[in-house]
Amino acid sequence: MTGASEGLAERIAQLEAREEIRELVARYGMAVDDRDVGALADMFTSDAKFALADGMVANQGRQAVIDFYTERMAAFGATYHYPHSQVIEFDPDRPGSATGMVNAHAELALDGRTLMTGLRYFDEYRVEDGQWRFVERKVAMIYYMDMAALVDGGLSESDRKRYFGTVGPSELPESLDTWKKFFAEVG
């Protein structure tokens, strides 16, 4: 019975880890919205990275990541970050680490306007000091625009990212191989 109980213990540990990572993602949105910089800093590893998929932003190290968040959060009024779904993968060769993708959206007040963004986080997680933390968060956007523009057909436009003075195409879904293959096949 030892083998069966060891397998069960491993599966339970992985379920617990999965739930801790899901909670980390949920707490992240609350910390950003609440402007809880201390809680946010505690969610990242000492060697953390944060980047936008388009390369406009890339920060290395917990303090650089938190400095970026502090500057960005100060620019906004109220915000609402909400994770929708998450996929977590564990690598048996790297205990205490995992990768994940999180589909999310955010509503943001900026300069008297309400902006909305649909995005996907590409995450790496690791246990540091006994708790799961973000090693890396990379953000790819599906759209980022004024709520009125979104309601007025903005999702159907090719330049769906209107982000801090730039207008251009979003990273998702057009960059995905599956998207390209699908439209190549259906003509």
Side-chain angles (χ1 to χ4, degrees), residues 15 78 102:
L15 287 171
V102 179

Side-chain angles (χ1 to χ4, degrees), residues 33-104:
D33 295 340
D34 297 348
R35 304 309 193 263
D36 189 341
V37 177
L40 194 61
D42 197 41
M43 293 177 193
F44 286 89
T45 61
S46 57
D47 60 343
K49 299 176 195 171
F50 177 84
L52 297 180
D54 65 6
M56 285 181 57
V57 172
N59 296 289
Q60 173 75 46
R62 180 187 289 137
Q63 191 58 55
V65 169
I66 296 308
D67 290 348
F68 166 78
Y69 274 98
T70 300
E71 179 184 324
R72 197 49 60 100
M73 290 185 305
F76 290 101
T79 58
Y80 180 64
H81 289 74
Y82 192 83
H84 295 291
S85 58
Q86 182 176 17
V87 175
I88 301 168
E89 295 184 13
F90 296 95
D91 181 348
D93 297 329
R94 293 178 39 212
S97 64
T99 58
M101 288 186 292
V102 179
N103 288 318

Side-chain angles (χ1 to χ4, degrees), residues 15-30:
L15 287 171
E16 289 174 342
R18 189 176 300 279
E19 189 57 31
E20 289 171 19
I21 293 169
R22 284 188 177 123
E23 188 173 309
L24 171 68
V25 168
R27 286 186 299 109
Y28 163 87
M30 289 183 249

Side-chain angles (χ1 to χ4, degrees), residues 22-181:
R22 284 188 177 123
E23 188 173 309
L24 171 68
V25 168
R27 286 186 299 109
Y28 163 87
M30 289 183 249
V32 170
D33 295 340
D34 297 348
R35 304 309 193 263
D36 189 341
V37 177
L40 194 61
D42 197 41
M43 293 177 193
F44 286 89
T45 61
S46 57
D47 60 343
K49 299 176 195 171
F50 177 84
L52 297 180
D54 65 6
M56 285 181 57
V57 172
N59 296 289
Q60 173 75 46
R62 180 187 289 137
Q63 191 58 55
V65 169
I66 296 308
D67 290 348
F68 166 78
Y69 274 98
T70 300
E71 179 184 324
R72 197 49 60 100
M73 290 185 305
F76 290 101
T79 58
Y80 180 64
H81 289 74
Y82 192 83
H84 295 291
S85 58
Q86 182 176 17
V87 175
I88 301 168
E89 295 184 13
F90 296 95
D91 181 348
D93 297 329
R94 293 178 39 212
S97 64
T99 58
M101 288 186 292
V102 179
N103 288 318
H105 89 272
E107 301 162 12
L108 312 121
L110 181 67
D111 298 331
R113 299 177 308 145
T114 300
L115 304 173
M116 286 202 61
T117 182
L119 47 98
R120 185 173 293 168
Y121 293 99
F122 295 88
D123 290 338
E124 290 184 34
Y125 316 102
R126 185 175 68 225
V127 174
E128 184 180 78
D129 298 327
Q131 95 182 41
W132 284 96
R133 300 175 196 262
F134 296 108
V135 177
E136 181 174 5
R137 291 212 100 181
K138 185 181 286 185
V139 180
M141 293 181 197
I142 299 163
Y143 64 88
Y144 188 110
M145 64 182 71
D146 185 281
M147 186 180 278
L150 181 64
V151 170
D152 195 32
L155 197 57
S156 64
E157 298 175 15
S158 59
D159 288 337
R160 295 186 308 274
K161 189 165 63 171
R162 297 143 195 197
Y163 184 78
F164 281 85
T166 65
V167 175
S170 297
E171 294 81 35
L172 297 175
E174 291 86 351
S175 67
L176 300 172
D177 290 339
T178 53
W179 180 273
K180 294 173 192 174
K181 180 181 178 206

